[in-house]
Amino acid sequence: MNCRECVEHLYEYLDLELTPDLEREIRAHLVACPPCGEHHDFEAVFLKFLRARGSAQGAPPALRRRILEQLFDE
């Protein structure tokens, strides 16, 4: 598991949508990688904030993929 893979699956991880094996890999990476752990913590709090306000509708997978591609290409 590297940082890019972790970030690509972070929302699925937060939404409990992963296989048990992939979930374990991401959890291990988050513990071992402080920057990814901090990113996870921020996103978890942000999603909690959005859900509390009833506006947490996930982006379509294609949109997420395009955003991540553009972020990592820069």
Side-chain angles (χ1 to χ4, degrees), residues 2 23 48 50:
N2 61 42
E23 184 179 331
K48 186 176 180 179
L50 290 177

PDB file of all heavy atoms in Angstrom, residues 2 23 48 50:
ATOM      1  N   ASN A   2       0.685   2.117  -0.944  1.00  0.00           N
ATOM      2  CA  ASN A   2       1.418   3.376  -0.953  1.00  0.00           C
ATOM      3  C   ASN A   2       0.425   4.518  -0.724  1.00  0.00           C
ATOM      4  O   ASN A   2      -0.784   4.309  -0.623  1.00  0.00           O
ATOM      5  CB  ASN A   2       2.208   3.557  -2.259  1.00  0.00           C
ATOM      6  CG  ASN A   2       1.314   3.587  -3.487  1.00  0.00           C
ATOM      7  OD1 ASN A   2       0.257   4.205  -3.488  1.00  0.00           O
ATOM      8  ND2 ASN A   2       1.741   2.911  -4.542  1.00  0.00           N
ATOM      9  N   GLU A  23      -9.187  -3.124   3.699  1.00  0.00           N
ATOM     10  CA  GLU A  23      -9.376  -2.288   4.892  1.00  0.00           C
ATOM     11  C   GLU A  23      -8.183  -2.429   5.841  1.00  0.00           C
ATOM     12  O   GLU A  23      -7.680  -1.434   6.361  1.00  0.00           O
ATOM     13  CB  GLU A  23     -10.667  -2.688   5.606  1.00  0.00           C
ATOM     14  CG  GLU A  23     -10.981  -1.818   6.794  1.00  0.00           C
ATOM     15  CD  GLU A  23     -12.280  -2.223   7.476  1.00  0.00           C
ATOM     16  OE1 GLU A  23     -13.174  -2.752   6.798  1.00  0.00           O
ATOM     17  OE2 GLU A  23     -12.380  -2.004   8.689  1.00  0.00           O
ATOM     18  N   LYS A  48     -18.074  13.873   8.848  1.00  0.00           N
ATOM     19  CA  LYS A  48     -18.972  13.936  10.000  1.00  0.00           C
ATOM     20  C   LYS A  48     -19.710  15.276  10.021  1.00  0.00           C
ATOM     21  O   LYS A  48     -20.912  15.335  10.270  1.00  0.00           O
ATOM     22  CB  LYS A  48     -18.176  13.738  11.287  1.00  0.00           C
ATOM     23  CG  LYS A  48     -19.021  13.640  12.520  1.00  0.00           C
ATOM     24  CD  LYS A  48     -18.162  13.345  13.744  1.00  0.00           C
ATOM     25  CE  LYS A  48     -19.026  13.261  14.980  1.00  0.00           C
ATOM     26  NZ  LYS A  48     -18.240  12.967  16.174  1.00  0.00           N
ATOM     27  N   LEU A  50     -20.351  17.225   7.400  1.00  0.00           N
ATOM     28  CA  LEU A  50     -21.321  17.239   6.300  1.00  0.00           C
ATOM     29  C   LEU A  50     -22.543  16.380   6.623  1.00  0.00           C
ATOM     30  O   LEU A  50     -23.677  16.788   6.369  1.00  0.00           O
ATOM     31  CB  LEU A  50     -20.671  16.741   5.007  1.00  0.00           C
ATOM     32  CG  LEU A  50     -19.647  17.662   4.369  1.00  0.00           C
ATOM     33  CD1 LEU A  50     -19.042  16.989   3.146  1.00  0.00           C
ATOM     34  CD2 LEU A  50     -20.260  18.993   4.000  1.00  0.00           C
TER      35      LEU A  50
END
